[in-house]
Amino acid sequence: LRVAKRISNKILVELKFLHQIIFGRLRKSLAELYVINGQYEKALSLYAELLKPEVFEFIEKYNMYDAIHDKIVNLMIVDNKRTVHLRTQHRDIILPYEVVEQLLHTSKKCDKRYLLHLYLHALFEIDIHAGKDFHDMQVELYADYETRMLLPFLLTSQHYRLDKGASFVLGRMGNAKEALSTIINKLEDMQEAVEFVTEQHDDELWEELIRQCLQKPEMVGNLLEHTVGNLDPLYIVSLVPDGLEIPRLQDRLVKIVTDYRTETSL
């Protein structure tokens, strides 16, 4: 009985495989008939569903760029490089949001986040503003798939929001000093900078934080407000060059003393 069951299962698998082959050939033949009859959109749909590499030549030959809006995922599965090139070169016809939406919500088996990264990266290299609505997403994608490109992206793009998540993302860049510089000079977020340095457990990075802040009077003031429990404010003040005026220095020192007393009394 067990032998018969194994044979039966094997036959079912072979029949299923045979069915797929026959069905695939029939659909390919149908696509060819559509071409003969000039029904190019129907032919394109079948070629895309069959995941045929020649679909790209078909699109180019019959100028079918307007007809591939709903076939993005299948084309990416067939050849992601050619699809990315196709979509970036014809981004006026195939809008970025269409590509992103289809990849985000596809149920097909594929690494959709990686495909998103490939597409958005290629789009950014051609036109830094074309995919601006997805730059927040792109920050995470660079952190996951191409860390070396994250810093250039952060320094070039003006369309991402990177406040509370800055330390998480930049901490994965591998270059702590450059990451810190980005937080201080681009984000201008001292709290984020202090949190970032704290997470690195690197005394030299604290010195780097002070050094970079000393280049901007307002940054020195902001740093003083975040010293409690982290840095000696007197040490920072001693490093301030003669003649450098720190905005609201007296008020900030009063606040530091008050915060220190509060902390030590707990």
Side-chain angles (χ1 to χ4, degrees):
L1 184 61
R2 290 181 179 177
V3 173
K5 188 175 182 179
R6 283 200 299 269
I7 294 174
S8 176
N9 289 337
K10 185 177 180 181
I11 292 173
L12 286 174
V13 171
E14 291 178 350
L15 285 174
K16 184 177 180 180
F17 180 68
L18 185 61
H19 174 267
Q20 290 175 341
I21 293 176
I22 295 173
F23 187 62
R25 288 177 178 174
L26 287 173
R27 299 187 79 188
K28 185 177 180 181
S29 297
L30 180 59
E32 292 170 353
L33 287 174
Y34 281 142
V35 173
I36 293 172
N37 290 328
Q39 296 174 285
Y40 301 126
E41 287 195 22
K42 289 185 176 180
L44 176 61
S45 294
L46 285 174
Y47 282 134
E49 289 174 13
L50 291 168
L51 305 179
K52 293 293 183 181
E54 56 264 32
V55 68
F56 294 98
E57 284 75 18
F58 183 85
I59 292 169
E60 184 176 349
K61 181 178 180 180
Y62 295 102
N63 194 28
M64 300 295 293
Y65 303 108
D66 278 332
I68 64 175
H69 294 273
D70 59 343
K71 302 169 181 63
I72 291 167
V73 177
N74 279 10
L75 293 177
M76 289 288 272
I77 293 173
V78 175
D79 190 327
N80 59 62
K81 290 183 179 179
R82 294 182 71 176
T83 305
V84 165
H85 177 75
L86 184 70
R87 277 154 174 70
T88 52
Q89 294 301 315
H90 298 276
R91 58 190 180 280
D92 54 330
I93 300 174
I94 311 161
L95 301 178
Y97 83 87
E98 292 182 289
V99 179
V100 173
E101 283 297 305
Q102 286 191 46
L103 285 172
L104 280 176
H105 299 106
T106 183
S107 58
K108 297 182 182 296
K109 290 184 178 180
C110 61
D111 189 345
K112 57 187 179 182
R113 280 179 55 79
Y114 179 63
L115 295 178
L116 271 171
H117 164 65
L118 292 178
Y119 170 69
L120 290 174
H121 172 62
L123 189 64
F124 185 75
E125 288 195 319
I126 293 174
D127 182 346
I128 63 174
H129 304 295
K132 63 181 181 180
D133 292 340
F134 309 104
H135 282 194
D136 283 340
M137 180 192 304
Q138 205 165 352
V139 169
E140 297 181 17
L141 293 173
Y142 275 127
D144 287 340
Y145 296 107
E146 204 164 1
T147 309
R148 66 182 180 83
M149 291 301 301
L150 181 54
L151 183 58
F153 176 80
L154 292 174
L155 295 175
T156 305
S157 171
Q158 299 177 351
H159 305 294
Y160 63 89
R161 299 188 307 273
L162 196 60
D163 40 21
K164 297 301 180 182
S167 59
F168 167 75
V169 176
L170 294 172
R172 300 170 64 177
M173 293 172 58
N175 191 324
K177 289 185 178 180
E178 286 190 55
L180 179 60
S181 177
T182 300
I183 297 174
I184 293 173
N185 299 310
K186 188 171 179 65
L187 302 179
E188 297 183 343
D189 189 332
M190 185 54 63
Q191 181 176 344
E192 201 69 57
V194 171
E195 289 178 1
F196 174 75
V197 175
T198 302
E199 291 173 359
Q200 303 307 306
H201 304 291
D202 184 347
D203 291 340
E204 290 186 7
L205 206 55
W206 284 111
E207 294 295 331
E208 179 66 18
L209 172 61
I210 296 171
R211 187 189 68 77
Q212 292 198 30
C213 287
L214 287 174
Q215 300 174 27
K216 298 180 179 181
E218 182 60 36
M219 281 295 179
V220 176
N222 289 337
L223 179 59
L224 286 171
E225 292 179 358
H226 292 83
T227 55
V228 176
N230 298 301
L231 293 168
D232 180 356
L234 295 179
Y235 174 66
I236 297 174
V237 172
S238 70
L239 295 175
V240 175
D242 293 339
L244 184 67
E245 295 186 7
I246 310 301
R248 308 190 313 280
L249 178 59
Q250 184 175 353
D251 293 340
R252 281 166 161 158
L253 290 175
V254 170
K255 183 178 184 301
I256 290 169
V257 173
T258 303
D259 290 346
Y260 177 76
R261 287 176 177 173
T262 301
E263 186 177 88
T264 54
S265 66
L266 294 177

